[in-house]
Amino acid sequence: MTLRRLRNDVAGLLVALVVALPLYWMLLSALKPRAALEAGDPTPYTLEPTLESFRRVLLIDGFGQYLLNSVLVAVVVVTASTLCAFLAAVALTRYRFRLRTTLLVMVLTAQMVPVEALTIPLFFLMRTLGYGIPGIGLNQLGSLMLVHTAFAIPLAVWMLRAFVASVPRELEEAAWLDGAGSLTFVTRVLFPLVAPGVVACSIFSFIMTWNDFLFARTFIISAQENQTLPIALLSLFKPDENDWGGIMAGSVLMTLPVLVFFLFVQHRLANGLGGAVKG
Protein backbone atom coordinates (compact mmCIF):
# COMPACT_ATOMS: atom_id res chain seq x y z
CA MET A 1 0.00 0.00 0.00
CA THR A 2 2.90 2.33 0.82
CA LEU A 3 4.60 1.61 -2.53
CA ARG A 4 1.37 2.26 -4.37
CA ARG A 5 0.89 5.54 -2.57
CA LEU A 6 4.49 6.51 -3.36
CA ARG A 7 3.88 5.83 -7.05
CA ASN A 8 0.75 7.96 -6.98
CA ASP A 9 2.62 10.78 -5.27
CA VAL A 10 5.44 10.66 -7.81
CA ALA A 11 2.96 10.59 -10.70
CA GLY A 12 1.06 13.52 -9.21
CA LEU A 13 4.29 15.46 -8.76
CA LEU A 14 5.31 14.85 -12.38
CA VAL A 15 1.90 16.02 -13.62
CA ALA A 16 2.12 19.11 -11.41
CA LEU A 17 5.57 19.93 -12.82
CA VAL A 18 4.38 19.55 -16.40
CA VAL A 19 1.41 21.85 -15.70
CA ALA A 20 3.47 24.38 -13.73
CA LEU A 21 6.36 24.64 -16.23
CA PRO A 22 4.51 26.86 -18.77
CA LEU A 23 3.27 29.08 -15.95
CA TYR A 24 6.77 29.39 -14.55
CA TRP A 25 8.23 30.22 -17.97
CA MET A 26 5.50 32.80 -18.53
CA LEU A 27 6.32 34.51 -15.22
CA LEU A 28 10.06 34.25 -15.90
CA SER A 29 9.70 35.85 -19.32
CA ALA A 30 7.64 38.66 -17.77
CA LEU A 31 10.39 39.37 -15.22
CA LYS A 32 13.39 39.07 -17.55
CA PRO A 33 14.97 42.25 -18.93
CA ARG A 34 13.89 43.09 -22.45
CA ALA A 35 17.46 42.82 -23.74
CA ALA A 36 17.71 39.21 -22.51
CA LEU A 37 14.47 38.26 -24.25
CA GLU A 38 15.52 39.90 -27.51
CA ALA A 39 18.84 38.06 -27.33
CA GLY A 40 17.03 34.75 -26.94
CA ASP A 41 18.49 33.96 -23.52
CA PRO A 42 17.40 30.35 -22.67
CA THR A 43 18.49 30.52 -19.02
CA PRO A 44 15.69 29.11 -16.80
CA TYR A 45 16.22 31.88 -14.24
CA THR A 46 17.13 35.55 -14.06
CA LEU A 47 19.45 37.37 -11.70
CA GLU A 48 18.11 40.78 -12.71
CA PRO A 49 14.31 40.63 -12.42
CA THR A 50 12.47 43.73 -13.53
CA LEU A 51 8.87 44.94 -13.58
CA GLU A 52 9.37 46.98 -16.75
CA SER A 53 7.21 44.60 -18.81
CA PHE A 54 4.34 44.98 -16.33
CA ARG A 55 4.68 48.76 -16.50
CA ARG A 56 4.39 48.71 -20.28
CA VAL A 57 1.24 46.62 -20.08
CA LEU A 58 -0.38 48.75 -17.38
CA LEU A 59 0.40 51.91 -19.34
CA ILE A 60 -1.51 50.69 -22.41
CA ASP A 61 -4.05 53.36 -23.27
CA GLY A 62 -7.42 52.30 -21.86
CA PHE A 63 -6.11 49.25 -19.94
CA GLY A 64 -8.38 49.99 -16.97
CA GLN A 65 -11.42 50.17 -19.26
CA TYR A 66 -10.46 46.88 -20.91
CA LEU A 67 -10.18 45.26 -17.49
CA LEU A 68 -13.55 46.65 -16.41
CA ASN A 69 -15.17 45.38 -19.63
CA SER A 70 -13.78 41.86 -19.09
CA VAL A 71 -14.98 41.80 -15.49
CA LEU A 72 -18.44 43.08 -16.45
CA VAL A 73 -18.90 40.52 -19.23
CA ALA A 74 -17.63 37.66 -17.05
CA VAL A 75 -19.89 38.54 -14.10
CA VAL A 76 -22.99 38.84 -16.26
CA VAL A 77 -22.29 35.59 -18.13
CA VAL A 78 -21.52 33.60 -14.96
CA THR A 79 -24.63 34.87 -13.18
CA ALA A 80 -27.02 34.46 -16.09
CA SER A 81 -25.74 31.09 -17.34
CA THR A 82 -25.56 29.53 -13.87
CA LEU A 83 -29.06 30.68 -12.93
CA CYS A 84 -30.61 29.53 -16.22
CA ALA A 85 -28.74 26.22 -16.13
CA PHE A 86 -29.80 25.51 -12.55
CA LEU A 87 -33.47 26.16 -13.27
CA ALA A 88 -33.26 24.12 -16.48
CA ALA A 89 -31.59 21.24 -14.66
CA VAL A 90 -34.33 21.26 -12.03
CA ALA A 91 -37.05 21.26 -14.70
CA LEU A 92 -35.43 18.47 -16.74
CA THR A 93 -34.73 16.30 -13.70
CA ARG A 94 -37.63 16.83 -11.31
CA TYR A 95 -40.53 17.29 -13.71
CA ARG A 96 -41.87 15.23 -16.58
CA PHE A 97 -43.42 16.95 -19.56
CA ARG A 98 -43.74 16.58 -23.31
CA LEU A 99 -40.57 17.00 -25.40
CA ARG A 100 -38.41 16.54 -22.30
CA THR A 101 -36.16 14.03 -24.03
CA THR A 102 -36.01 16.20 -27.12
CA LEU A 103 -34.77 19.13 -25.07
CA LEU A 104 -32.08 16.96 -23.49
CA VAL A 105 -30.90 15.84 -26.92
CA MET A 106 -30.86 19.45 -28.14
CA VAL A 107 -28.77 20.50 -25.14
CA LEU A 108 -26.31 17.69 -25.84
CA THR A 109 -26.17 18.52 -29.54
CA ALA A 110 -25.42 22.16 -28.80
CA GLN A 111 -22.16 21.10 -27.15
CA MET A 112 -21.02 19.18 -30.22
CA VAL A 113 -21.03 22.10 -32.65
CA PRO A 114 -17.56 23.71 -33.03
CA VAL A 115 -17.46 27.34 -31.99
CA GLU A 116 -15.54 28.30 -35.12
CA ALA A 117 -18.34 26.97 -37.34
CA LEU A 118 -20.82 29.37 -35.72
CA THR A 119 -18.68 32.50 -35.73
CA ILE A 120 -19.80 33.85 -39.12
CA PRO A 121 -23.54 33.10 -38.59
CA LEU A 122 -23.35 34.71 -35.16
CA PHE A 123 -21.67 37.78 -36.67
CA PHE A 124 -24.61 38.34 -39.02
CA LEU A 125 -27.08 37.55 -36.24
CA MET A 126 -25.53 40.13 -33.90
CA ARG A 127 -25.49 42.68 -36.72
CA THR A 128 -29.20 42.12 -37.35
CA LEU A 129 -30.11 42.22 -33.66
CA GLY A 130 -28.24 45.48 -33.30
CA TYR A 131 -30.72 47.21 -35.58
CA GLY A 132 -33.62 46.63 -33.20
CA ILE A 133 -32.28 45.88 -29.69
CA PRO A 134 -30.23 48.55 -27.86
CA GLY A 135 -27.03 47.23 -26.31
CA ILE A 136 -27.02 44.11 -28.49
CA GLY A 137 -25.13 44.07 -31.74
CA LEU A 138 -21.72 44.71 -33.18
CA ASN A 139 -19.36 46.86 -31.09
CA GLN A 140 -21.54 46.23 -28.01
CA LEU A 141 -20.64 44.28 -24.87
CA GLY A 142 -24.16 42.87 -24.87
CA SER A 143 -23.28 40.70 -27.88
CA LEU A 144 -20.45 39.05 -25.94
CA MET A 145 -22.68 38.52 -22.91
CA LEU A 146 -25.46 36.96 -24.98
CA VAL A 147 -23.24 34.60 -26.99
CA HIS A 148 -21.14 33.42 -24.05
CA THR A 149 -24.25 32.81 -21.96
CA ALA A 150 -25.72 30.71 -24.76
CA PHE A 151 -22.55 28.61 -25.02
CA ALA A 152 -22.14 28.19 -21.25
CA ILE A 153 -25.68 26.99 -20.52
CA PRO A 154 -25.60 23.52 -22.24
CA LEU A 155 -22.50 22.31 -20.37
CA ALA A 156 -23.79 23.71 -17.09
CA VAL A 157 -27.16 21.99 -17.55
CA TRP A 158 -25.54 18.60 -18.02
CA MET A 159 -23.27 19.08 -15.03
CA LEU A 160 -26.05 20.27 -12.73
CA ARG A 161 -28.43 17.49 -13.76
CA ALA A 162 -26.20 15.01 -11.93
CA PHE A 163 -26.38 17.03 -8.71
CA VAL A 164 -30.11 17.64 -8.87
CA ALA A 165 -30.77 13.96 -9.60
CA SER A 166 -28.65 12.89 -6.62
CA VAL A 167 -30.89 14.73 -4.13
CA PRO A 168 -33.30 12.14 -2.66
CA ARG A 169 -36.97 12.46 -3.45
CA GLU A 170 -37.66 11.97 0.25
CA LEU A 171 -36.30 15.44 0.98
CA GLU A 172 -38.73 16.97 -1.45
CA GLU A 173 -41.64 15.01 0.01
CA ALA A 174 -40.60 16.05 3.54
CA ALA A 175 -40.51 19.68 2.46
CA TRP A 176 -44.02 19.37 1.02
CA LEU A 177 -45.28 17.86 4.27
CA ASP A 178 -43.81 20.84 6.13
CA GLY A 179 -45.81 23.17 3.90
CA ALA A 180 -43.02 24.27 1.57
CA GLY A 181 -43.94 24.98 -2.04
CA SER A 182 -41.86 24.20 -5.11
CA LEU A 183 -40.08 27.57 -5.06
CA THR A 184 -39.23 27.25 -1.37
CA PHE A 185 -37.87 23.74 -1.88
CA VAL A 186 -35.72 24.80 -4.83
CA THR A 187 -34.26 27.90 -3.16
CA ARG A 188 -33.90 26.75 0.47
CA VAL A 189 -33.33 23.01 0.21
CA LEU A 190 -32.18 22.04 -3.26
CA PHE A 191 -29.89 24.95 -4.08
CA PRO A 192 -27.65 24.61 -0.97
CA LEU A 193 -27.25 20.89 -1.68
CA VAL A 194 -26.12 21.44 -5.27
CA ALA A 195 -23.95 24.46 -4.44
CA PRO A 196 -20.67 22.60 -5.26
CA GLY A 197 -22.00 21.91 -8.75
CA VAL A 198 -23.04 25.54 -9.14
CA VAL A 199 -19.51 26.63 -8.21
CA ALA A 200 -17.97 24.21 -10.71
CA CYS A 201 -20.23 25.47 -13.49
CA SER A 202 -19.52 29.09 -12.64
CA ILE A 203 -15.77 28.50 -12.86
CA PHE A 204 -16.01 26.92 -16.29
CA SER A 205 -18.19 29.80 -17.48
CA PHE A 206 -15.80 32.36 -16.00
CA ILE A 207 -12.70 30.85 -17.64
CA MET A 208 -14.42 30.51 -21.02
CA THR A 209 -15.56 34.15 -20.95
CA TRP A 210 -12.45 35.67 -19.40
CA ASN A 211 -10.07 34.13 -21.95
CA ASP A 212 -12.25 34.70 -24.99
CA PHE A 213 -10.49 36.18 -27.99
CA LEU A 214 -12.46 34.88 -30.97
CA PHE A 215 -15.84 36.48 -30.24
CA ALA A 216 -14.31 39.65 -28.83
CA ARG A 217 -12.28 40.08 -32.00
CA THR A 218 -15.28 39.24 -34.22
CA PHE A 219 -17.98 41.39 -32.59
CA ILE A 220 -16.01 44.36 -31.24
CA ILE A 221 -14.73 45.80 -34.50
CA SER A 222 -14.13 49.53 -34.07
CA ALA A 223 -15.41 50.49 -30.59
CA GLN A 224 -12.14 50.64 -28.69
CA GLU A 225 -13.90 51.56 -25.45
CA ASN A 226 -15.71 48.18 -25.49
CA GLN A 227 -12.66 45.99 -26.06
CA THR A 228 -11.64 43.35 -23.51
CA LEU A 229 -8.28 42.32 -22.09
CA PRO A 230 -7.36 39.68 -24.72
CA ILE A 231 -7.81 42.32 -27.42
CA ALA A 232 -5.66 44.74 -25.42
CA LEU A 233 -2.78 42.25 -25.50
CA LEU A 234 -3.05 42.17 -29.28
CA SER A 235 -1.50 45.64 -29.39
CA LEU A 236 1.76 44.11 -28.09
CA PHE A 237 2.13 42.04 -31.25
CA LYS A 238 4.07 44.13 -33.73
CA PRO A 239 4.58 43.49 -37.46
CA ASP A 240 8.36 43.83 -37.13
CA GLU A 241 9.05 42.59 -33.58
CA ASN A 242 6.75 41.26 -30.85
CA ASP A 243 7.04 42.55 -27.30
CA TRP A 244 7.32 39.11 -25.65
CA GLY A 245 8.01 40.58 -22.23
CA GLY A 246 4.83 42.63 -22.39
CA ILE A 247 2.86 39.70 -23.80
CA MET A 248 3.97 37.44 -20.96
CA ALA A 249 3.33 40.17 -18.37
CA GLY A 250 -0.16 40.71 -19.73
CA SER A 251 -0.78 36.96 -19.65
CA VAL A 252 0.29 36.88 -16.00
CA LEU A 253 -2.11 39.71 -15.17
CA MET A 254 -4.92 37.88 -16.96
CA THR A 255 -4.14 34.64 -15.13
CA LEU A 256 -4.14 36.15 -11.64
CA PRO A 257 -7.94 36.64 -11.34
CA VAL A 258 -8.50 33.02 -12.37
CA LEU A 259 -5.97 31.74 -9.81
CA VAL A 260 -7.47 33.88 -7.05
CA PHE A 261 -10.93 32.58 -7.95
CA PHE A 262 -9.63 29.01 -7.75
CA LEU A 263 -8.05 29.59 -4.34
CA PHE A 264 -11.34 30.78 -2.89
CA VAL A 265 -13.51 27.98 -4.28
CA GLN A 266 -11.08 25.08 -4.71
CA HIS A 267 -12.76 22.95 -2.05
CA ARG A 268 -16.22 23.36 -3.53
CA LEU A 269 -14.78 22.85 -7.02
CA ALA A 270 -13.32 19.47 -6.03
CA ASN A 271 -16.65 18.42 -4.56
CA GLY A 272 -18.44 19.66 -7.65
CA LEU A 273 -16.26 17.76 -10.10
CA GLY A 274 -16.51 14.63 -7.97
CA GLY A 275 -20.28 14.92 -7.86
CA ALA A 276 -20.48 15.43 -11.61
CA VAL A 277 -18.40 12.31 -12.27
CA LYS A 278 -20.42 10.30 -9.77
CA GLY A 279 -23.69 11.43 -11.37
Side-chain angles (χ1 to χ4, degrees):
M1 188 67 179
T2 304
L3 181 59
R4 182 179 180 182
R5 182 174 181 180
L6 179 61
R7 291 175 180 174
N8 293 336
D9 291 342
V10 172
L13 179 60
L14 291 177
V15 172
L17 289 176
V18 171
V19 173
L21 180 60
L23 298 177
Y24 169 75
W25 202 262
M26 177 177 67
L27 180 61
L28 176 65
S29 300
L31 294 176
K32 272 188 175 182
R34 189 168 188 174
L37 292 175
E38 293 177 351
D41 182 16
T43 307
Y45 60 87
T46 179
L47 299 178
E48 300 177 349
T50 176
L51 297 178
E52 181 60 31
S53 297
F54 289 94
R55 294 191 188 97
R56 290 200 304 273
V57 173
L58 294 175
L59 290 177
I60 292 178
D61 186 27
F63 182 85
Q65 184 63 46
Y66 300 151
L67 175 62
L68 180 61
N69 292 339
S70 292
V71 171
L72 178 61
V73 173
V75 169
V76 171
V77 171
V78 168
T79 304
S81 63
T82 304
L83 178 61
C84 293
F86 172 69
L87 296 177
V90 172
L92 293 172
T93 306
R94 292 286 171 172
Y95 300 97
R96 296 192 176 276
F97 50 89
R98 293 183 59 186
L99 302 179
R100 175 174 173 268
T101 305
T102 304
L103 287 175
L104 286 173
V105 173
M106 291 176 61
V107 171
L108 180 62
T109 304
Q111 301 181 61
M112 300 179 181
V113 181
V115 176
E116 293 78 7
L118 298 175
T119 303
I120 295 178
L122 286 173
F123 173 85
F124 289 107
L125 177 62
M126 291 300 108
R127 187 181 65 175
T128 303
L129 291 178
Y131 294 143
I133 304 177
I136 302 293
L138 301 181
N139 289 323
Q140 299 292 331
L141 291 178
S143 60
L144 297 179
M145 299 174 185
L146 181 61
V147 171
H148 282 300
T149 300
F151 276 98
I153 287 177
L155 176 61
V157 169
W158 276 98
M159 290 185 63
L160 289 175
R161 279 185 68 249
F163 291 91
V164 176
S166 65
V167 177
R169 289 279 182 177
E170 289 76 8
L171 287 178
E172 187 173 0
E173 296 173 356
W176 288 347
L177 292 176
D178 290 338
S182 298
L183 181 60
T184 303
F185 169 75
V186 170
T187 56
R188 297 188 179 183
V189 179
L190 187 60
F191 184 80
L193 293 175
V194 301
V198 173
V199 171
C201 293
S202 65
I203 289 179
F204 283 113
S205 301
F206 178 80
I207 294 176
M208 179 187 69
T209 306
W210 185 262
N211 295 330
D212 169 65
F213 177 85
L214 178 61
F215 289 136
R217 183 64 173 170
T218 302
F219 299 150
I220 311 300
I221 303 173
S222 58
Q224 186 175 359
E225 68 279 4
N226 287 334
Q227 291 180 350
T228 54
L229 277 181
I231 305 301
L233 296 184
L234 188 63
S235 62
L236 298 173
F237 289 88
K238 306 295 183 181
D240 50 349
E241 184 178 1
N242 296 325
D243 183 4
W244 290 113
I247 294 171
M248 294 298 103
S251 300
V252 170
L253 294 176
M254 283 194 61
T255 306
L256 286 178
V258 180
L259 292 178
V260 172
F261 197 14
F262 267 111
L263 290 177
F264 278 107
V265 300
Q266 59 180 340
H267 178 66
R268 287 188 175 272
L269 175 63
N271 294 337
L273 294 178
V277 173
K278 180 179 179 181

